[in-house]
Amino acid sequence: MSYLTTSMTTGAAVTGAAPLGVGVPGFAHPLMAPTEWAELLRLSRGAACTGGARRSPGARGGAAALHWVVLDVARGPGVRPDPYCLPAAAQLRDAGVRLLGHLDLEHGARPFGELVSDAHRFLDWYKVDGFYLDRCPTDRTLLPETRRLTTTLRALCDGAHLVAGHGRHPYPGYAEAADQLVTFAGRWADYRWSQVAEWTADHPAARFCHLVHGVPRTHLEEALRIARWQGAGTVYFTDRADRGGDAWESLPGYWDEFVSRIGPGVSE
């Protein structure tokens, strides 16, 4: 397959050996998806990892398998504190989960001031630990403005974790603008034949994330193998189909199996 025939004959195999972790791109509102939010809390305490021992604590004391969770109240923070999102966010923070506020960059079309205003609301109301920059630009010409935003976000939130949701490989300079880059977000039918950009071999797996929907249970192990070979450190796979952007809103049918398989790389 193409992910195995890439010209990165050393980098992919080396970085792919690192443990994988879960990044949750945004469940539905807690009122509509109480089971999903309860599972996040369970996973943060190590109880959802049914395939092995409890994970060691991460940077904030939570389960190492759960790298971050995106909080998207209303395509952003909303216009006022949400009475259901406030306790859900607080519970995850108390459990040591890294919570990211959802900021939609609209491929560079969103005004800088609006994004900063939304960031302030996320910080003031939900005490987030960083931001998920959805629909982040990928081309070189918009890199300076993206850097301006990420520099401002880091000034607003000391130690902010920034994930750039490109969805595909961006211009390499974006690697210096965020902590992680989402270099694939899309269908399993495309992911299984995808190729990794050669410049990613210069960075550790912890810098990259893959989000894939429509992954059948029978292909879950293959999807994990692709992620490891392509050097991704954070993943989210679901069997849900994308219907108007709702692929991430509910748990995959194989949630327990998925999280139990996250961990050290396998020998290829």
Side-chain angles (χ1 to χ4, degrees):
M1 290 187 179
S2 57
Y3 66 89
L4 297 178
T5 58
T6 175
S7 60
M8 291 194 338
T9 56
T10 57
V14 173
T15 56
L20 290 172
V22 179
V24 180
F27 285 144
H29 189 279
L31 182 62
M32 305 299 296
T35 299
E36 280 71 10
W37 287 87
E39 281 299 310
L40 290 181
L41 195 58
R42 193 163 69 99
L43 177 58
S44 72
R45 295 167 175 166
C49 300
T50 56
R54 177 173 176 151
R55 306 299 184 189
S56 59
R60 296 194 58 210
L66 186 56
H67 286 173
W68 41 261
V69 173
V70 176
L71 175 64
D72 185 3
V73 181
R75 295 303 294 172
V79 297
R80 62 182 61 85
D82 186 282
Y84 295 95
C85 290
L86 282 171
Q91 284 183 320
L92 289 178
R93 288 198 322 273
D94 290 345
V97 175
R98 180 182 278 144
L99 197 64
L100 306 181
H102 179 276
L103 298 178
D104 188 355
L105 274 60
E106 298 180 0
H107 306 296
R110 187 95 182 276
F112 175 82
E114 288 185 8
L115 292 165
V116 173
S117 179
D118 278 359
H120 274 293
R121 292 190 182 99
F122 269 122
L123 290 167
D124 292 343
W125 299 342
Y126 303 105
K127 315 301 180 188
V128 296
D129 304 292
F131 301 94
Y132 183 88
L133 310 180
D134 196 15
R135 296 199 286 177
C136 189
T138 59
D139 58 288
R140 183 176 184 174
T141 59
L142 293 176
L143 177 56
E145 188 65 14
T146 304
R147 280 179 172 162
R148 178 191 177 203
L149 175 65
T150 58
T151 299
T152 301
L153 295 177
R154 293 190 193 282
L156 293 177
C157 178
D158 185 37
H161 187 78
L162 303 181
V163 178
H166 303 287
R168 58 191 177 93
H169 289 95
Y171 174 72
Y174 281 92
E176 306 307 320
D179 297 289
Q180 282 186 300
L181 309 180
V182 178
T183 53
F184 186 93
R187 304 181 307 162
W188 164 244
D190 298 322
Y191 187 62
R192 68 183 310 191
W193 302 108
S194 64
Q195 296 191 40
V196 63
E198 293 188 15
W199 63 263
T200 62
D202 297 329
H203 302 276
R207 302 297 309 282
F208 303 105
C209 174
H210 295 170
L211 310 174
V212 190
H213 57 76
V215 182
R217 181 189 297 270
T218 53
H219 290 279
L220 182 56
E221 188 59 44
E222 181 185 353
L224 291 168
R225 189 179 303 116
I226 294 173
R228 291 187 173 108
W229 268 91
Q230 292 197 2
T234 303
V235 297
Y236 187 83
F237 299 141
T238 180
D239 52 354
R240 308 304 183 191
D242 186 69
R243 296 182 297 272
D246 64 350
W248 320 121
E249 292 187 354
S250 59
L251 287 172
Y254 42 64
W255 170 252
D256 276 347
E257 182 179 357
F258 168 51
V259 297
S260 71
R261 293 192 182 197
I262 297 295
V266 294
S267 176
E268 299 291 346

